[in-house]
């Protein structure tokens, strides 16, 4: 295979330092089958990332492909403005049924960022329609909500924002529920869940009548698979209720079974006012997302024309995307994959926890089929593993044919739901092999 040169490589990849990327001679994926990816050199990778956390049913799902092909022949596009299409209606009904009608209305979008963006705008307009002055959005440090200006402003990665100023006003981030590195230097449960109680302090600091929305990932993905203690959610929901603040869960990664429930909020006794969805919704077959909304919020937008939600984009509610999503949800339900995620996830977490015996593994976290391994210089002082060694570990994983995602000093593992136990075992063997290889070379 001819080496790709800077001159003949034209794609400007997202979130990528192209200089280093092209120097490394990029992996070019050319084919996929089930849980495997193949590059142009026919090298095979075991996909422990469900591609980008979205291809949860693996590749080549025939029923989805056939349904999409059929839909292209019947209705390949339909405008979402002042008209509807039967596939969008079928999908939105299916989505509300899937959450037992707890969220009854669905705003269709094209991806996760769009879904969050729509939710932020809905919250701000809702507050305006209720004649309040609330417009601020509180979210978590190290949360990730997407790339559009609102979603980026709500995200808690400051590095990602530094060249894009001015950032929209009214977005505040508070410390996250990160027990391994408690922002308050406390230990659970003696901590009194200080991180959750901080929300009320911040609300008072900002002004009790200024906050429109609290936005969080129920389990933080890009932030390193941060799973809050159970009490955290109770405190957050109580606080938001007390100050009449809407809550949106960003379930772009946790939605559709990833945590061992169809939606992560189903682990709780609370239902958020809005839920942002994307990624797994179409198993990667079409860019589509959705914002689920409680009926009482939607009701507020009814009446005079000026109350309408002035937001939308050409491809929202695309009939082919809706078809892909309907088929994806149907497979998840028919094959009982949510329960499979729970069972196999528990098995794999137990195996992964054994990695804690390795000196550079600081913490292992997981729920359902989302796992994080946090690497450190030293388990005692918890200093994050230096960047050079982390980069060596990442390239060793790829060298061994293991496809995963990495964020800072964390390895993030999102196996496809269809992954068999043997493949999980293989993944563990490859991770161990890569870690030991790196330790050997660093030592
Ligand atoms: C929790 C969360 N929200 C939103 C997004 C943005 O989704 P998209 O990349 O589809 O715009 C992501 C993407 O990784 C995510 O992890």
């Amino acid at each position: 295979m001819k080496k790709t040169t800077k001159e003949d490589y034209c794609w400007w990849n997202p979130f990528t330092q192209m200089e280093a990327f092209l120097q490394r001679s990029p992996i070019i994926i050319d084919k996929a089958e089930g849980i495997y990816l193949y590059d142009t050199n026919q090298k095979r990778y075991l996909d422990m990332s469900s591609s980008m956390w979205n291809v949860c049913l693996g590749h080549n799902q025939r029923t989805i492909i056939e349904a999409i092909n059929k839909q292209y022949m019947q209705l390949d596009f339909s405008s979402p403005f002042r008209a509807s299409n039967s596939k969008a209606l079928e999908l939105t009904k299916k989505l509300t049924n899937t959450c037992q009608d707890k969220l009854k209305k669905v705003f269709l979008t094209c991806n996760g960022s769009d879904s969050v963006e729509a939710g932020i705008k809905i919250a701000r307009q809702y507050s305006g329609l209720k004649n309040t002055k609330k417009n601020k959005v509180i979210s978590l440090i190290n949360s990730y909500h997407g790339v559009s200006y609102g979603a980026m402003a709500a995200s808690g990665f400051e590095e990602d924002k530094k060249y894009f100023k001015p950032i929209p006003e009214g977005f505040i981030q508070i410390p996250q529920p990160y027990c391994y590195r408690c922002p308050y230097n406390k230990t659970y449960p003696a901590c009194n869940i200080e991180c959750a109680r901080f929300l009320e302090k911040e609300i008072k600091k900002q002004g009790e009548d200024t906050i429109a929305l609290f936005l969080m990932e129920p389990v933080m993905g890009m932030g390193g698979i941060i799973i809050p203690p159970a009490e955290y959610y109770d405190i957050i929901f109580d606080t938001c209720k007390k100050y009449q603040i809407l809550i949106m869960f960003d379930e772009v990664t946790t939605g559709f079974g990833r945590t061992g429930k169809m939606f992560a909020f189903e682990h709780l006794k609370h239902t958020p006012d809005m839920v942002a969805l994307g990624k797994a919704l179409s198993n990667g077959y079409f860019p589509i997302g959705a914002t689920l909304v409680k009926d009482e919020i939607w009701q507020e937008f009814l009446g005079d024309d000026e109350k309408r939600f002035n937001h939308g984009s050409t491809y929202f509610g695309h009939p082919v995307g809706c078809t892909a999503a309907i088929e994806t949800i149907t497979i998840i339900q028919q094959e009982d994959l949510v329960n499979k995620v729970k069972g196999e996830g528990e098995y794999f977490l137990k195996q992964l926890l054994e990695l804690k015996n390795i000196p550079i593994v600081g913490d292992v976290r997981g729920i359902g089929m989302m796992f994080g391994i946090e690497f450190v210089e030293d388990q005692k002082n918890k200093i994050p593993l230096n960047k050079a060694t982390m980069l060596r570990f990442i390239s060793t994983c790829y060298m061994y044919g293991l496809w995963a995602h990495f964020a800072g000093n964390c390895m993030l593992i999102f196996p496809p739901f269809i992954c068999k136990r043997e493949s999980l075992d293989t993944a563990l063997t490859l991770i161990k092999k890569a870690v030991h290889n790196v330790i050997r070379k660093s030592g």
Side-chain angles (χ1 to χ4, degrees):
M1 181 81 200
K2 190 172 147 265
K3 199 167 179 270
T4 311
T5 63
K6 247 193 215 175
E7 286 64 39
D8 60 23
Y9 190 96
C10 301
W11 188 11
W12 189 345
N13 294 69
F15 284 99
T16 302
Q17 174 41 260
M18 296 308 292
E19 181 82 39
F21 183 71
L22 291 174
Q23 259 163 23
R24 284 199 299 270
S25 171
I27 298 169
I28 301 172
I29 298 297
D30 201 35
K31 194 176 93 168
E33 265 170 17
I35 59 166
Y36 293 100
L37 306 170
Y38 297 83
D39 70 13
T40 40
N41 297 316
Q42 281 75 53
K43 183 177 166 74
R44 190 176 85 158
Y45 300 86
L46 174 60
D47 181 6
M48 279 294 120
S49 197
S50 299
S51 251
M52 194 47 251
W53 308 352
N54 54 342
V55 185
C56 298
L57 310 180
H59 296 271
N60 326 110
Q61 281 284 351
R62 287 225 68 82
T63 48
I64 307 179
I65 296 166
E66 279 161 16
I68 286 175
N69 286 342
K70 198 166 149 228
Q71 185 58 41
Y72 269 121
M73 298 311 289
Q74 185 173 327
L75 177 67
D76 47 8
F77 178 75
S78 167
S79 165
F81 302 103
R82 295 188 186 81
S84 195
N85 75 72
S86 44
K87 283 295 167 186
L89 287 184
E90 190 181 335
L91 172 63
T92 49
K93 190 74 196 149
K94 198 169 180 70
L95 282 167
T96 59
N97 286 344
T98 308
C99 63
Q100 295 90 43
D101 279 342
K102 287 178 180 162
L103 296 125
K104 279 194 158 177
K105 299 295 168 193
V106 183
F107 191 83
L108 291 172
T109 71
C110 282
N111 55 50
S113 306
D114 283 348
S115 305
V116 171
E117 196 76 26
I120 292 170
K121 286 191 175 178
I122 290 171
R124 283 185 162 172
Q125 182 165 342
Y126 174 78
S127 299
L129 293 173
K130 295 277 261 182
N131 289 320
T132 78
K133 293 205 164 42
K134 297 172 174 206
N135 58 34
K136 293 183 188 170
V137 178
I138 300 184
S139 53
L140 299 177
I141 292 171
N142 270 0
S143 60
Y144 182 74
H145 299 294
V147 290
S148 51
Y149 258 91
M152 173 187 67
S155 297
F157 286 97
E158 290 312 307
E159 264 293 291
D160 292 351
K161 304 181 197 174
K162 73 177 179 205
Y163 291 117
F164 301 142
K165 291 177 180 165
I167 304 297
E169 282 175 26
F171 291 85
I172 304 119
Q173 282 88 53
I174 60 173
Q176 74 272 45
Y178 189 6
C179 292
Y180 179 66
R181 296 180 189 277
C182 174
Y184 304 96
N185 282 323
K186 295 193 171 173
T187 309
Y188 177 79
C191 61
N192 194 27
I193 327 294
E194 185 86 21
C195 50
R197 298 193 195 281
F198 190 82
L199 175 62
E200 183 161 22
K201 289 187 191 154
E202 188 64 33
I203 292 168
K204 286 187 173 153
K205 182 177 149 202
Q206 295 292 333
E208 290 181 15
D209 53 356
T210 65
I211 316 294
L213 179 70
F214 178 70
L215 165 65
M216 70 174 286
E217 296 161 82
V219 176
M220 293 169 79
M222 291 293 183
I225 316 300
I226 308 295
I227 309 161
E231 306 91 319
Y232 179 87
Y233 306 99
D234 292 337
I235 299 167
I236 291 290
F237 273 85
D238 286 351
T239 308
C240 288
K241 194 169 170 205
K242 181 170 167 190
Y243 295 97
Q244 296 183 326
I245 294 168
L246 297 180
I247 298 190
M248 173 158 67
F249 268 17
D250 177 348
E251 295 230 29
V252 170
T253 55
T254 53
F256 304 103
R258 181 55 74 185
T259 67
K261 296 269 187 195
M262 192 55 136
F263 301 109
F265 78 80
E266 292 177 285
H267 290 281
L268 316 176
K269 57 178 194 278
H270 315 277
T271 303
D273 299 293
M274 289 185 279
V275 175
L277 298 168
K279 293 219 188 261
L281 174 56
S282 68
N283 197 47
Y285 281 94
F286 206 92
I288 182 167
T291 312
L292 309 186
V293 184
K294 275 193 179 162
D295 194 50
E296 51 265 39
I297 297 175
W298 183 78
Q299 294 283 348
E300 208 59 45
F301 289 67
L302 303 180
D304 296 344
D305 191 48
E306 59 161 42
K307 284 181 153 192
R308 72 178 186 190
F309 185 42
N310 279 328
H311 180 71
S313 178
T314 304
Y315 293 103
F316 285 4
H318 196 295
V320 178
C322 293
T323 302
I326 292 163
E327 297 303 319
T328 300
I329 299 169
T330 303
I331 294 174
I332 293 173
Q333 288 169 332
Q334 281 177 352
E335 299 188 9
D336 196 22
L337 289 176
V338 178
N339 277 323
K340 180 173 181 283
V341 166
K342 187 170 180 295
E344 295 307 282
E346 279 165 9
Y347 166 80
F348 196 43
L349 181 60
K350 221 160 123 200
Q351 312 294 311
L352 287 174
L353 282 167
E354 286 176 18
L355 296 173
K356 277 193 174 187
N357 297 328
I358 301 171
I360 62 164
V361 174
D363 198 22
V364 174
R365 304 178 280 267
I367 179 169
M369 284 252 216
M370 58 194 293
F371 310 95
I373 305 173
E374 180 158 352
F375 291 94
V376 290
E377 293 286 322
D378 176 329
Q379 284 183 340
K380 200 149 171 251
N381 62 30
K382 298 185 182 177
I383 294 174
L385 189 64
N386 69 79
K387 211 170 165 183
T389 312
M390 197 64 206
L391 285 175
R392 217 165 331 115
F393 173 63
I394 296 170
S395 51
T396 309
C397 287
Y398 285 106
M399 186 180 82
Y400 289 148
L402 180 69
W403 195 270
H405 199 84
F406 300 86
N409 62 324
C410 291
M411 178 179 202
L412 311 176
I413 306 168
F414 283 68
F417 301 168
I418 57 158
C419 203
K420 294 214 167 67
R421 203 163 270 202
E422 305 90 85
S423 306
L424 295 173
D425 293 341
T426 304
L428 183 69
T429 306
L430 294 176
I431 295 168
K432 279 186 188 159
K433 215 169 126 183
V435 175
H436 288 300
N437 180 309
V438 164
I439 292 176
R440 223 175 21 252
K441 289 199 175 139
S442 314

